[in-house]
Amino acid sequence: QVQLVESGGGSVQAGGSLRLSCAVSRYPYTRYCMAWFRQVTGKEREGVAAIASGLPTNYAESVQARFTIWRDSPENTLYLQMNSLNPEDTAMYYCAAAQFCPVRSTWDVNALETHTYNYWGQGTQVTVSS
């Protein structure tokens, strides 16, 4: 069973930065596709950033140029660098991984959709104060 464990959340003031990490274990697939999502209580989970082997990284418009996703293969770790944080970024952040990755023609549409991913971490809380 694939296991995802997030860390790095916390409380910061607006304008600050945080780096989230997701330790990945037992992910046996040659092609990977993984993502970060976030969710505010009472709202739907939304995709933030996605990465997949051989495909371009994909970001939600609200985080473009502020967040960066990357994967460290030797460490089997997924990262999300978050800069210029604002209170609207406050949420529980989740790491996700997929067993079957979308093909290139559908990646842009499916990269940040929850139905693409079937493995999820427990989440790490990010709180940004004004």
Side-chain angles (χ1 to χ4, degrees):
Q1 181 73 11
V2 175
Q3 293 185 340
L4 308 172
V5 180
E6 303 95 335
S7 61
S11 298
V12 295
Q13 289 190 327
S17 298
L18 283 174
R19 178 177 295 183
L20 305 184
S21 301
C22 174
V24 183
S25 60
R26 304 176 188 173
Y27 188 71
Y29 312 110
T30 301
R31 289 188 66 234
Y32 66 87
C33 48
M34 305 186 68
W36 288 96
F37 285 75
R38 65 187 181 186
Q39 187 170 24
V40 176
T41 303
K43 294 188 177 182
E44 292 188 357
R45 190 168 296 187
E46 64 169 350
V48 174
I51 187 170
S53 53
L55 297 173
T57 53
N58 195 300
Y59 294 93
E61 187 174 341
S62 60
V63 306
Q64 281 275 3
R66 299 190 299 121
F67 290 12
T68 303
I69 186 173
W70 77 97
R71 177 177 174 267
D72 188 306
S73 181
E75 295 183 356
N76 287 327
T77 303
L78 182 72
Y79 295 97
L80 182 70
Q81 178 67 39
M82 306 185 295
N83 298 328
S84 301
L85 286 162
N86 58 62
E88 290 70 38
D89 296 314
T90 295
M92 184 71 79
Y93 283 71
Y94 297 91
C95 174
Q99 179 178 2
F100 301 107
C101 299
V103 297
R104 179 63 185 96
S105 60
T106 65
W107 172 243
D108 290 340
V109 173
N110 294 307
L112 298 179
E113 296 295 324
T114 55
H115 64 74
T116 298
Y117 303 92
N118 46 336
Y119 303 109
W120 295 86
Q122 293 301 306
T124 185
Q125 178 67 36
V126 172
T127 302
V128 184
S129 58
S130 57

